[in-house]
Amino acid sequence: MTIEPTIRLQAIEREFTQGNVPMRVLKGITLEVRPGELTLIMGPSGSGKSTLLAAASGLLRPSAGRVEVLGTDLWSLDEGAIDRFRLEHCGFVFQGFNLFAAMTAFEQVVYPLGFTGVSGTAATAAAEEALAAVGMTHRAGLLPMALSGGEKQRVAIARALAKRPRLLFADEPTSALDKTNGEAVVTLLQEAARARGTTVLCVSHDPRLIAHADRVLRIEDGLLTADERPTPSKPILH
């Protein structure tokens, strides 16, 4: 049975102006991404990988091309509708964790659920389930200052997963972590894809993640240069 793509990108371009000089960061990228897989976007710094992730997730409008997500022509929507689409369907995990300093781990996860219309006991249950899934139940009452980098990223993943998004976008989620925590985080992303059927699109320059990915897209100088499916193997994070 053919699994329909949840993300379709057609001839995506993005241009920035540096001074008076236009710079093309994305140069006509076309690809499809399917659910239930961890798709890894790799490339050197400045290759356009984070820009591509932003365009696919509704964070950055492309200069040209079409982004179709869950059957919706994303960039034909107005800004308010795009915000609602992200809120309802997307989860995000970033390198810098983006946690609130004055909120406990539990509060970090439960608070955003209110914006999706989930509150009360339903929100509490969803937050507790998400924290349990990332192994953070015993740390739920702690503030970020009391958590390690790996624990902070687990909380960020729990926050993204609590609303059960159909799409999960991760930008360099392991780059600030040591080998053990990095492996734990990428394993959680894998599990989100395989156990929940989530579409997981992850940007990284770290080759250690390849063994964990179902698919690896390579970008250089704004162009898609390779589309690979690594041979399954044991984790190679060192």
Side-chain angles (χ1 to χ4, degrees):
M1 183 178 67
T2 301
I3 300 176
E4 283 296 306
T6 44
I7 301 174
R8 287 186 170 96
L9 308 181
Q10 182 66 43
I12 297 300
E13 298 186 12
R14 176 65 191 189
E15 186 176 281
F16 295 98
T17 300
Q18 191 171 50
N20 293 322
V21 180
M23 299 182 64
R24 290 178 68 209
V25 179
L26 299 178
K27 303 174 181 178
I29 290 182
T30 295
L31 63 90
E32 296 181 342
V33 184
R34 288 176 170 76
E37 293 185 339
L38 171 55
T39 299
L40 183 62
I41 304 175
M42 302 198 71
S45 296
S47 60
K49 56 188 186 295
S50 291
T51 302
L52 182 64
L53 186 82
S57 61
L59 292 174
L60 182 69
R61 185 179 295 274
S63 303
R66 176 185 171 93
V67 177
E68 183 180 304
V69 184
L70 301 179
T72 298
D73 183 357
L74 190 59
W75 290 106
S76 70
L77 304 176
D78 62 34
E79 294 299 326
I82 291 174
D83 289 344
R84 288 192 297 274
F85 185 93
R86 288 198 308 266
L87 183 63
E88 292 173 4
H89 301 296
C90 303
F92 294 90
V93 180
F94 299 104
Q95 175 182 349
F97 316 133
N98 292 355
L99 301 181
F100 297 102
M103 286 187 178
T104 66
F106 173 78
E107 290 167 341
Q108 307 277 352
V109 179
V110 77
Y111 174 69
L113 292 174
F115 297 102
T116 68
V118 179
S119 59
T121 56
T124 296
E128 290 176 345
E129 179 185 354
L131 285 166
V134 301
M136 286 295 290
T137 298
H138 66 301
R139 308 288 275 173
L142 297 181
L143 298 173
M145 64 181 295
L147 302 176
S148 68
E151 289 172 334
K152 290 175 185 176
Q153 196 61 292
R154 287 171 182 255
V155 173
I157 292 173
R159 179 177 59 191
L161 294 178
K163 62 179 179 178
R164 294 190 168 272
R166 294 183 63 184
L167 307 122
L168 180 60
F169 299 95
D171 195 351
E172 300 285 6
T174 65
S175 64
L177 306 179
D178 61 27
K179 62 176 183 179
T180 301
N181 284 306
E183 181 167 348
V185 163
V186 76
T187 298
L188 290 171
L189 297 178
Q190 253 185 342
E191 291 173 353
R194 296 175 184 176
R196 298 179 178 228
T198 307
T199 301
V200 182
L201 192 59
C202 176
V203 159
S204 180
H205 66 275
D206 187 349
R208 301 176 301 174
L209 273 63
I210 293 173
H212 298 265
D214 299 292
R215 183 182 179 197
V216 179
L217 305 171
R218 298 185 186 274
I219 295 179
E220 291 188 32
D221 194 26
L223 296 169
L224 184 63
T225 59
D227 185 346
E228 307 161 347
R229 288 191 174 272
T231 302
S233 61
K234 294 180 180 179
I236 58 171
L237 288 173
H238 299 298

